[in-house]
Amino acid sequence: MAEIICTVDVVLLTLLDGQLRVALLRRDHEPFPGVLALPGGYIHPDQDGDTQVAAARVLLEKTGIVSPYLEQLATFSGRGRDPRGWSLSICYYALVPTEVIRLAGHPEVVLVPADGIAGLPFDHQQIVAAALERVRNKSSYSSLPVYLCGDTFTLPQLQSVYEALLGEPVNKVSFRRKIEEFDILEPIEGAMETGKAHRPAQLYRLKSRYRNRLSLTDRGLGTG
Amino acid sequence: MAEIICTVDVVLLTLLDGQLRVALLRRDHEPFPGVLALPGGYIHPDQDGDTQVAAARVLLEKTGIVSPYLEQLATFSGRGRDPRGWSLSICYYALVPTEVIRLAGHPEVVLVPADGIAGLPFDHQQIVAAALERVRNKSSYSSLPVYLCGDTFTLPQLQSVYEALLGEPVNKVSFRRKIEEFDILEPIEGAMETGKAHRPAQLYRLKSRYRNRLSLTDRGLGTG
DNA sequence: TTACTTAGTTGCAATATTAAACAAAGTAGC
DNA sequence: GCTACTTTGTTTAATATTGCAACTAAGTAA
């Protein structure tokens, strides 16, 4: 019986210049050496507890990042996707603020606009498309986008993150109502966004029970 | 490097006596011979185009069923789940009307109530739980439950399927409005449900473009 | 023929969502 | 220091959606 190649791949997403971007790396091995691709690698049964751990390990090794949000996306498989043979990749996606990528100190990480991405090896384009669909879909009913913000942020900032993801303006009152009912944010006592020539905005952060969690319920934070 | 055991498992769901049930089979091999478990099996890279095809094949071989709806659920993995070693199972779920199971002619298929299921080997209990969560969640906004109905059905019948899945009564008017806006059903000209001591109900069927599809968009039929 | 039961529709009340207007709180320019 | 300007955050009004209850329709049973 033929061998099955078992790998994990991670779609690491971030928001830069109001644009959703995917973190890519130049491959240093065959196949497709030198080509930009998703961070990925073989599962190591001897060291990985499961594929989620494998994905976190691969992400850390290749980008230096530990993402609080890392969720399984889907498994892609088949004969055609890898020239080495019948393969299978359990794919995950992660959301982090851009600072996290910058501070991870891996300058070889390239942030490519997620929409209209092309030229990726294997079936990475499909994988990215699936991740985008999932993230945008979840953004329409959950608190997922907070993972693209830093530790503290204002509601207008968070709103603009939602708008960037959904690609359309969202109603201010409805937005605030929704966030309120998710009940995941708390205002930081007395902390305001300063320096702007207008009324300062309240700074918020995730409530403590939602911070630093490594993998959450399938429906994301909040009530979903 | 240790070997990875690659399998597929299928959570085949149906509605019997107003109860959601899972199709199980007694295992005939080690490990857990004689124990009721999900239909599953090894991926055959030489004959399976991908894992979806493998799942369809396994389902057909073990139950005689070809399910129009077969969707990837998630991949379960790790060292602990299979006594033979580090394993990984790409899991799918399928919905069929009970007649399809009966007509498939595999009397060894056992239909066990899905809620409170226990005593399953491997991590099959978690897999079933994940499938139930997915199906119930999707039922709340999509047309997924139509796959539990036969070729033709009345709106009150479909409504009771939704109610069985969601575990609560649904408003008749809202239900009909929602189905209308999915725009996936058509009344069968002049065909009524007869024999009952009350006004006969109109029979409906899926519009042709939604029939016999083997795998659909991630969000199910209709607008979702 | 009358009673009964469920199918399917209609109108209205309750609720939720969106839009518009307003008040609050800062900086910038003169 | 006063005025203009800008964005935050809230309040109020308009609109849309949902859910209930009543009603009509169409069959069988007695």
Side-chain angles (χ1 to χ4, degrees):
Chain A
M1 188 188 300
E3 209 44 64
I4 297 178
I5 299 164
C6 295
T7 62
V8 289
D9 285 297
V10 180
V11 182
L12 176 65
L13 296 169
T14 195
L15 212 50
L16 183 59
D17 304 329
Q19 240 185 351
L20 198 55
R21 302 201 179 203
V22 190
L24 301 179
L25 290 162
R26 291 206 181 276
R27 292 180 54 81
D28 52 358
H29 295 350
E30 286 286 347
F32 308 112
V35 176
L36 283 175
L38 294 174
Y42 288 104
I43 295 167
H44 294 164
D46 47 334
Q47 52 174 307
D48 299 327
D50 59 30
T51 56
Q52 172 109 8
V53 171
R57 173 183 57 74
V58 164
L59 184 62
L60 179 61
E61 286 174 2
K62 299 230 170 176
T63 69
I65 291 166
V66 175
S67 173
Y69 192 85
L70 181 66
E71 183 183 288
Q72 191 179 122
L73 175 63
T75 296
F76 292 76
S77 61
R79 198 170 355 258
R81 56 184 302 279
D82 188 319
R84 289 167 290 187
W86 211 103
S87 71
L88 164 165
S89 178
I90 298 96
C91 297
Y92 287 78
Y93 72 100
L95 304 181
V96 295
T98 306
E99 307 87 81
V100 168
I101 299 178
R102 208 171 31 77
L103 294 173
H106 280 243
E108 71 275 20
V109 172
V110 182
L111 297 180
V112 175
D115 289 298
I117 204 168
L120 299 186
F122 309 106
D123 52 358
H124 285 191
Q125 187 155 335
Q126 278 172 257
I127 298 171
V128 170
L132 291 182
E133 191 185 333
R134 178 83 132 263
V135 168
R136 293 199 162 117
N137 179 27
K138 278 207 165 191
S139 297
S140 68
Y141 63 80
S142 84
S143 57
L144 187 61
V146 298
Y147 289 103
L148 292 169
C149 294
D151 291 337
T152 70
F153 47 87
T154 69
L155 291 185
Q157 281 168 358
L158 181 58
Q159 181 173 345
S160 74
V161 169
Y162 271 85
E163 288 172 341
L165 287 170
L166 300 174
E168 60 185 13
V170 310
N171 181 274
K172 182 166 56 166
V173 177
S174 308
F175 171 74
R176 293 167 105 101
R177 214 197 346 254
K178 193 70 97 179
I179 295 295
E180 175 100 13
E181 89 195 14
F182 286 157
D183 193 33
I184 51 163
L185 298 186
E186 60 187 9
I188 304 170
E189 211 52 38
M192 298 285 173
E193 187 196 35
T194 57
K196 299 290 176 55
H198 54 75
R199 176 175 176 175
Q202 174 67 52
L203 280 173
Y204 287 82
R205 66 180 165 206
L206 268 181
K207 289 188 176 179
S208 63
R209 64 174 160 288
Y210 298 115
R211 285 197 290 266
N212 304 325
R213 287 236 181 135
L214 191 70
S215 106
L216 297 134
T217 163
D218 192 43
R219 305 220 60 201
L221 280 183
T223 182
Chain B
M1 187 189 301
E3 209 42 66
I4 297 177
I5 299 164
C6 295
T7 62
V8 290
D9 285 296
V10 180
V11 182
L12 177 64
L13 296 168
T14 195
L15 211 51
L16 184 59
D17 304 330
Q19 241 186 351
L20 197 55
R21 304 202 178 201
V22 190
L24 301 179
L25 289 162
R26 292 207 179 277
R27 292 181 55 80
D28 51 359
H29 295 351
E30 286 286 347
F32 308 111
V35 176
L36 284 175
L38 294 175
Y42 289 104
I43 295 167
H44 294 164
D46 47 334
Q47 51 174 309
D48 300 326
D50 59 30
T51 56
Q52 172 109 10
V53 171
R57 172 183 58 74
V58 164
L59 184 63
L60 179 61
E61 286 175 0
K62 300 229 170 178
T63 69
I65 291 166
V66 175
S67 173
Y69 192 86
L70 182 66
E71 183 183 285
Q72 191 180 121
L73 175 63
T75 295
F76 293 76
S77 62
R79 195 168 0 254
R81 56 184 302 279
D82 189 318
R84 289 166 291 188
W86 212 103
S87 72
L88 164 165
S89 179
I90 297 97
C91 297
Y92 288 78
Y93 71 100
L95 305 180
V96 295
T98 306
E99 307 86 82
V100 168
I101 299 178
R102 206 171 34 76
L103 293 173
H106 279 243
E108 71 276 20
V109 172
V110 181
L111 297 180
V112 175
D115 289 299
I117 203 167
L120 299 186
F122 309 107
D123 51 359
H124 285 191
Q125 188 155 334
Q126 279 172 256
I127 297 170
V128 170
L132 291 181
E133 191 186 332
R134 178 80 134 273
V135 168
R136 293 200 163 116
N137 178 29
K138 279 206 164 192
S139 296
S140 68
Y141 63 80
S142 83
S143 57
L144 187 61
V146 298
Y147 289 103
L148 291 170
C149 294
D151 291 338
T152 70
F153 47 86
T154 69
L155 291 185
Q157 281 169 359
L158 181 58
Q159 181 174 346
S160 73
V161 170
Y162 271 84
E163 290 173 336
L165 288 170
L166 300 175
E168 61 185 12
V170 310
N171 181 273
K172 181 166 59 166
V173 178
S174 307
F175 171 74
R176 292 168 104 101
R177 257 198 298 255
K178 191 71 96 179
I179 295 295
E180 174 100 12
E181 103 199 357
F182 286 157
D183 194 33
I184 52 162
L185 299 186
E186 59 187 10
I188 304 170
E189 212 51 39
M192 298 286 173
E193 185 197 37
T194 57
K196 300 289 176 56
H198 54 75
R199 176 175 175 175
Q202 174 67 53
L203 281 172
Y204 287 82
R205 66 179 167 207
L206 270 179
K207 289 188 175 179
S208 62
R209 65 173 160 288
Y210 299 114
R211 286 196 289 266
N212 304 326
R213 286 235 180 136
L214 191 70
S215 106
L216 296 134
T217 163
D218 192 43
R219 305 222 60 200
L221 280 184
T223 180

